[in-house]
Amino acid sequence: MEMTGGGLLEVRITSADVGKRVSVRYVTDSSAGGATFTDAVGVLTSWQSGVAVITRKSGETVRIAETSLVAGKVVPPAPARRRGPSATFPELARATARAWQPVESEPLGEWTLRAAGGFTRRANSALPLGDPGLPVADALTRVREWYAARNLPAYVQTATGAEGTQELLGAALDRHGWRREVSAEVRIAALAPIGDQDADVSAVRLSRTLDEPWLGRYQRTGEPNPAVRPVLTSGPSVWFASVAGTGEVPAAIGRCVVDGRWAGFMAVEVDPALRRQGLATTVMTALARQALDEGASAAWLQVEADNDGARALYDGMGFAVHHHYHHYRWAEA
């Protein structure tokens, strides 16, 4: 924290710093036993009516009464990654979107409205990468109307935690009655170490075709939905991996989309009775080798923040968090 010459802490931020990354210390307990202090680092997304709001890189928001602030300053963006590929947020956001395309889309300025009959939030949410060409409140009204016309809940996908992400938009969504429903990590890694893993990939079948056995292992289909196949087969260069099981349904599956230097890994699933036997690693190794053959050099994937098992697996493969993404849903009255 910033110190004065006399050793006192100073608050060197104001409402004029909204939109900047800040570091603050504030009082959380001022009982007779003495004050308790807490620190917060993130983007200052609001300062109104005596309350400062900071959005952490995870998307969590912290509301702090300005009377509780004991120190604060503007800080530079988080240091650049020291390992793995370099990537800007817009580049990565567009690559992830190309790997999971909707059945129907429509531009709203630089935003994209996406629909796929309700199959996954990613394919049924507005992707706001730029200026919608309208005031935000009007753009959000248009989003609600577009999804209502399709009998779908209205979602907006936002991101936090990297340079150029959308902390201010998330705060605006919150003010306009939208509620954050699901959060996930977008992770990246160098691709070659994934392909170089010591895994016997001889049992992995790679195919361009999405077949019924593969879908039998995939857990997100739910009720029959004609959008499932178009979404899963969309992307520049799509591969499906499977490892045979004892019946028709594979023991393990995975999906990879190769797009220039990027290889995106999705739908890596293993029979619950066969987990912790290295099947997920084997599937990803086989897919990584195929992507390397096509000229890719970097990998990305998305994992929900509460999926501890998958996060541990990806840690071991060298994947590190690039940013977090969130789906906000219109909270209808």
Side-chain angles (χ1 to χ4, degrees):
M1 284 296 177
E2 195 80 359
M3 303 290 289
T4 67
L8 297 177
L9 299 169
E10 284 189 287
V11 178
R12 292 190 173 183
I13 57 172
T14 69
S15 58
D17 294 312
V18 167
K20 298 177 182 178
R21 187 168 180 263
V22 300
S23 175
V24 303
R25 175 164 292 178
Y26 59 101
V27 177
T28 56
D29 182 3
S30 57
S31 61
T36 300
F37 300 97
T38 299
D39 296 332
V41 177
V43 175
L44 182 64
T45 48
S46 174
W47 193 325
Q48 296 180 346
S49 303
V51 177
V53 180
I54 293 175
T55 300
R56 301 183 192 269
K57 63 181 181 180
S58 65
E60 174 195 5
T61 57
V62 183
R63 300 175 62 84
I64 306 167
E66 61 182 39
T67 54
S68 298
L69 289 169
V70 295
K73 63 178 180 179
V74 174
V75 295
R81 290 174 43 81
R82 297 182 181 274
R83 62 187 177 93
S86 62
T88 66
F89 164 67
E91 175 195 10
L92 195 50
R94 291 187 173 95
T96 60
R98 287 192 296 270
W100 200 266
Q101 298 176 20
V103 174
E104 178 187 6
S105 65
E106 181 179 318
L108 177 61
E110 295 177 302
W111 292 15
T112 303
L113 308 179
R114 306 175 294 180
F119 172 58
T120 73
R121 294 179 185 85
R122 276 181 286 172
N124 292 272
S125 56
L127 184 64
L129 297 180
D131 185 350
L134 300 168
V136 169
D138 295 338
L140 294 177
T141 297
R142 173 64 182 135
V143 171
R144 297 201 311 269
E145 293 171 347
W146 195 84
Y147 285 101
R150 289 154 180 80
N151 294 315
L152 293 171
Y155 283 101
V156 176
Q157 179 179 314
T158 69
T160 58
E163 187 171 358
T165 47
Q166 302 149 317
E167 286 83 357
L168 289 178
L169 177 58
L173 286 161
D174 188 66
R175 290 195 301 272
H176 285 91
W178 298 67
R179 295 295 175 261
R180 183 158 58 101
E181 198 169 80
V182 174
S183 295
E185 299 170 349
V186 177
R187 293 184 168 218
I188 60 176
L191 184 62
I194 302 170
D196 288 343
Q197 293 179 110
D198 184 16
D200 180 3
V201 301
S202 60
V204 180
R205 174 178 173 266
L206 297 181
S207 175
R208 294 287 197 183
T209 303
L210 174 60
D211 57 28
E212 288 302 321
W214 193 100
L215 283 171
R217 173 58 58 203
Y218 186 58
Q219 297 180 9
R220 292 184 176 239
T221 52
E223 295 297 321
N225 188 325
V228 171
R229 285 183 174 275
V231 172
L232 289 174
T233 56
S234 65
S237 178
V238 184
W239 289 95
F240 299 95
S242 60
V243 176
T246 56
E248 289 188 5
V249 178
I253 59 169
R255 176 178 182 263
C256 181
V257 177
V258 186
D259 182 1
R261 74 180 180 119
W262 290 105
F265 294 85
M266 289 143 279
V268 178
E269 298 189 7
V270 177
D271 182 338
L274 299 174
R275 287 175 182 167
R276 303 187 187 281
Q277 298 183 26
L279 287 174
T281 299
T282 299
V283 165
M284 290 185 67
T285 300
L287 289 169
R289 292 176 184 176
Q290 177 62 47
L292 287 165
D293 287 345
E294 294 185 30
S297 60
W300 65 264
L301 53 77
Q302 298 166 323
V303 57
E304 291 191 1
D306 60 355
N307 191 340
D308 294 335
R311 291 167 67 225
L313 171 68
Y314 301 142
D315 283 342
M317 291 183 177
F319 282 93
V321 176
H322 181 276
H323 64 271
H324 296 73
Y325 81 87
H326 319 278
H327 281 110
Y328 282 79
R329 179 173 178 165
W330 167 243
E332 300 177 66

